[in-house]
Amino acid sequence: AQSVAQPEDQVNVAEGNPLTVKCTYSVSGNPYLFWYVQYPNRGLQFLLKYITGDNLVKGSYGFEAEFNKSQTSFHLKKPSALVSDSALYFCAVGNAGNMLTFGGGTRLMVKP
Amino acid sequence: DTAVSQTPKYLVTQMGNDKSIKCEQNLGHDTMYWYKQDSKKFLKIMFSYNNKELIINETVPNRFSPKSPDKAHLNLHINSLELGDSAVYFCASSQRYSGGGETQYFGPGTRLLVL
């Protein structure tokens, strides 16, 4: 069975500061890891994914994520937060059958 | 142009009724999915179809019946609606289902409220 944990329900950060949203996973076999963002009353938007290769993955809107196999983590990062980044962020792990298991989500609040 | 579209956007109905939610994707993808997001924002896969064939059925009650008339459409029919069915239902699609790592693209969601 595969699982994802997002240990923080909410992350607060000041605009212009770096942000990190944490994610740890458990899966047998190679992990396929994703980050999605959900704005209020909207669907999920794909941000980035890790399949193989470089541990640092760059995605949309200036976000990046670092895959750490030893710590089974895939934390989402951005060097300088914007108020418009405030949203609900989901980490997900996929298997070879492309079945995604999502974490519980982390609400990011960026304050001016 | 909307890549993955769902209708209706909102659905309010009484317990015991039967309702359908439609999903269409214009991305040319082979695989489509239905997810349920509950009131605590927890997302769980319900079904996936590849080229009109059922691939995943995650122990969803048989009151839920997906139907895929062609690979661009995956509709969800729900019989005898219950209060616990109230949720946001998301449709998604991906290029294919096998091999892992396929990006899934989500529709805007259908907010179902059962009274």
Side-chain angles (χ1 to χ4, degrees), chain B residues 8-113:
Chain B
K9 191 172 182 179
Y10 299 97
L11 191 50
V12 181
T13 188
Q14 300 288 330
M15 275 176 51
N17 284 353
D18 304 337
K19 291 293 179 185
S20 293
I21 306 172
K22 295 184 177 181
C23 177
E24 176 182 3
Q25 54 94 4
N26 63 7
L27 298 167
H29 288 169
D30 286 345
T31 309
M32 297 184 72
Y33 312 79
W34 278 108
Y35 287 85
K36 178 180 180 180
Q37 186 175 45
D38 64 22
S39 59
K40 295 185 178 180
K41 304 297 185 183
F42 184 70
L43 266 164
K44 186 172 171 59
I45 190 165
M46 300 173 69
F47 302 100
S48 77
Y49 268 70
N50 185 66
N51 212 358
K52 303 192 297 177
E53 292 189 11
L54 179 67
I55 302 298
I56 294 172
N57 179 342
E58 279 296 298
T59 60
V60 176
N62 57 15
R63 296 184 296 104
F64 291 78
S65 52
K67 285 186 170 48
S68 183
D70 54 63
K71 71 175 190 177
H73 296 84
L74 181 61
N75 304 323
L76 184 64
H77 188 77
I78 315 171
N79 290 327
S80 303
L81 277 156
E82 300 177 357
L83 293 177
D85 297 332
S86 296
V88 182
Y89 292 84
F90 287 103
C91 178
S93 73
S94 67
Q95 184 68 55
R96 61 187 68 86
Y97 83 95
S98 62
E102 290 291 326
T103 301
Q104 294 183 24
Y105 295 90
F106 284 75
T110 296
R111 191 174 296 272
L112 172 65
L113 178 60

Side-chain angles (χ1 to χ4, degrees), chain A residues 1-6 23-34 36 50 72 91-104, chain B residues 33 35 42-46 48 56 58 97 99-102 104:
Chain A
Q2 56 192 42
S3 64
V4 175
Q6 294 182 241
C23 171
T24 58
Y25 66 91
S26 174
V27 67
S28 56
N30 294 325
Y32 304 103
L33 298 159
F34 300 80
Y36 284 85
Y50 172 83
T72 61
C91 181
V93 64
N95 61 11
N98 219 33
M99 175 177 156
L100 286 185
T101 299
F102 284 86
Chain B
Y33 312 79
Y35 287 85
F42 184 70
L43 266 164
K44 186 172 171 59
I45 190 165
M46 300 173 69
S48 77
I56 294 172
E58 279 296 298
Y97 83 95
E102 290 291 326
Q104 294 183 24

Side-chain angles (χ1 to χ4, degrees), chain A residues 14 20 25 29-30 39-40 44 47 49 53 55 61 76 84 86 107:
Chain A
T20 298
Y25 66 91
N30 294 325
Y39 296 99
L44 277 74
L47 280 179
K49 68 180 178 183
N55 289 343
Y61 312 122
L76 181 70
S84 57
S86 298
R107 189 167 301 281

